């Protein structure tokens, strides 16, 4: 049952989050956000971000659904520029399903990612797939859910579409497509290997799922490693942070979100009752939760409390090692 619920959380998430267009400042003119989706009864798409580089376009994350892919291809066509680098902030399928089709259309594109996909191929995907197959066999899946799940299977069947051609193994400065970036690796955070990007010239942070506006998606999370990654982000200067899901944040907004995250972990580690931790999240993260979405977000926070933060010994840190 837990696996079924886990995959439903990832595959068939929750109410729509308001994904406002990016508040653009002059310093941010060299990037473009294609907002993700977070609609009822279907899996989310993560945010995708284009960066203009001297040699072509860099695309950070490729979404899940065909409609999101089409927006990405349309933007590149409108710009008349080739995508020559794809970066996956992490391997979750709401950020990487589009890899195959984007790279088929832009065959020069290298794929930058960590090697955490190798662990996912042997651990998460087989369990996730078995749970999804049981869900399909139950007959409860809608036609749209079935199509989405089968699209996910087709990616699992083509793991090379998720494997980096340019593995990112450690944090450091690098030029991607001629654009200087600081590319950071957070080990054992939202996944076993997350990438977050600091573009100093644009005063921009692309955080991937280290920041998920309405509630941290902890399905494959190591909570304490995640907390450390947020501390690293908080230590640098930036103007705008683009989360994995939700609208761009100013630095003060990010710091408020980080406080909410820290409070949730602290509450889970205390002897506070479950409902108090959930209420604390809803209060602290109120600015990041869409109107009317409280009940679903409370359910998710409760699910992560039970399945991760307050899981039986070994459960809390099950994703804290390779
Ligand atoms: Zn995500």
């Amino acid at each position: 049952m837990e696996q079924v619920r886990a995959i439903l959380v990832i595959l068939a998430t929750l109410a729509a989050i308001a994904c406002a267009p990016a508040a653009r400042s002059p310093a941010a003119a060299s990037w473009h956000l294609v907002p993700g989706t977070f609609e009822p009864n279907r899996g989310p798409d993560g945010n995708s971000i284009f960066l203009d580089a001297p040699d072509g376009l860099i695309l950070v994350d490729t979404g899940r659904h065909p409609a999101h892919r089409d927006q990405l291809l349309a933007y590149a066509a409108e710009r008349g520029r080739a995508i020559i680098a794809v970066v996956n902030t992490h391997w979750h399928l709401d950020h990487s399903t589009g890899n195959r089709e984007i790279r088929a259309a832009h065959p020069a594109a290298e794929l930058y990612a960590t090697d955490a996909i190798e662990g996912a191929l042997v651990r998460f995907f087989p369990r996730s797939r078995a749970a999804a197959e049981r869900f399909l066999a139950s007959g409860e899946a809608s036609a749209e859910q079935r199509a989405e799940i089968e699209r996910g299977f087709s990616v699992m069947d083509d793991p090379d579409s998720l494997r980096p051609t340019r593995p990112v193994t450690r944090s450091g400065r690098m030029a991607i497509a001629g654009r200087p970036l600081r590319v950071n690796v957070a080990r054992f955070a939202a996944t076993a290997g997350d990438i977050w990007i600091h573009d100093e010239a644009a005063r921009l942070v692309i955080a991937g799922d280290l920041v998920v506006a309405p509630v941290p998606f902890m399905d494959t999370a190591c909570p304490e490693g995640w907390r450390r990654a947020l501390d690293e982000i908080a230590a640098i200067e930036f103007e705008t942070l683009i989360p994995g899901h939700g609208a761009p944040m100013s630095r003060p907004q990010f710091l408020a979100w980080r406080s909410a995250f820290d409070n949730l972990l602290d509450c889970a580690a205390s002897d506070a009752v479950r409902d108090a931790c959930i209420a604390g999240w809803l209060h602290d993260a109120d600015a990041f939760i869409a109107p009317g979405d409280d009940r679903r977000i409370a359910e998710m926070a409760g699910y992560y409390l039970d399945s991760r933060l307050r899981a039986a010994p070994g459960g809390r840190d099950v994703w804290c090692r390779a």
Side-chain angles (χ1 to χ4, degrees), residues 1-14 38 44 64 90-95 120 123-125 127-128 131 189-192 194 209 212 215-223 226 245 261 299-301 303-309 311 314-320:
M1 185 59 196
E2 183 181 324
Q3 286 176 14
V4 172
R5 292 189 60 190
I7 193 157
L8 291 180
V9 167
I10 280 196
L11 286 178
T13 6
L14 307 169
F38 200 47
R64 179 198 298 278
H90 60 297
W91 55 261
H92 286 176
L93 294 181
D94 51 326
H95 298 259
R123 290 179 76 196
F124 187 81
F125 282 170
R127 280 185 276 168
S128 165
T191 69
D194 298 338
D209 276 7
V212 177
V215 65
F217 294 165
M218 293 190 167
D219 301 74
T220 59
C222 174
W226 191 332
H245 302 263
F261 181 98
E299 282 176 10
M300 285 189 82
Y303 169 73
Y304 291 126
L305 276 165
D306 299 340
S307 66
R308 182 71 60 239
L309 297 174
R316 177 184 164 90
D317 60 353
V318 66
W319 296 101
C320 294

Side-chain angles (χ1 to χ4, degrees), residues 126-194:
R127 280 185 276 168
S128 165
R129 183 173 193 140
E133 279 169 349
R134 286 195 298 275
F135 181 55
L136 291 181
S138 76
E140 291 174 23
S142 68
E144 192 189 17
Q145 286 171 326
R146 177 173 292 275
E148 181 177 282
I149 288 169
E150 285 172 352
R151 184 166 166 79
F153 289 172
S154 73
V155 174
M156 294 179 194
D157 288 338
D158 183 14
D160 281 348
S161 73
L162 304 176
R163 288 187 166 113
T165 61
R166 299 288 182 94
V168 179
T169 57
R170 65 175 71 85
S171 300
R173 288 193 169 77
M174 65 169 75
I176 298 182
R179 180 162 171 157
L181 298 168
R182 185 168 170 86
V183 179
N184 303 279
V185 177
R187 290 284 171 199
F188 305 109
T191 69
D194 298 338

Side-chain angles (χ1 to χ4, degrees), residues 64-77:
R64 179 198 298 278
H65 294 100
H68 189 90
R69 170 207 64 206
D70 290 347
Q71 288 185 67
L72 302 178
L73 292 173
Y75 179 77

Side-chain angles (χ1 to χ4, degrees), residues 244-299:
H245 302 263
M249 297 179 183
S250 67
R251 196 166 190 283
Q253 287 173 318
F254 162 72
L255 294 175
W257 191 88
R258 181 181 68 138
S259 292
F261 181 98
D262 287 347
N263 289 346
L264 178 63
L265 266 56
D266 292 344
C267 188
S270 76
D271 55 11
V273 298
R274 180 181 188 273
D275 283 352
C277 297
I278 295 171
W281 174 261
L282 293 179
H283 172 269
D284 296 343
D286 179 59
F288 307 105
I289 298 170
D293 209 13
D294 278 23
R295 206 179 73 166
R296 283 176 177 276
I297 296 304
E299 282 176 10

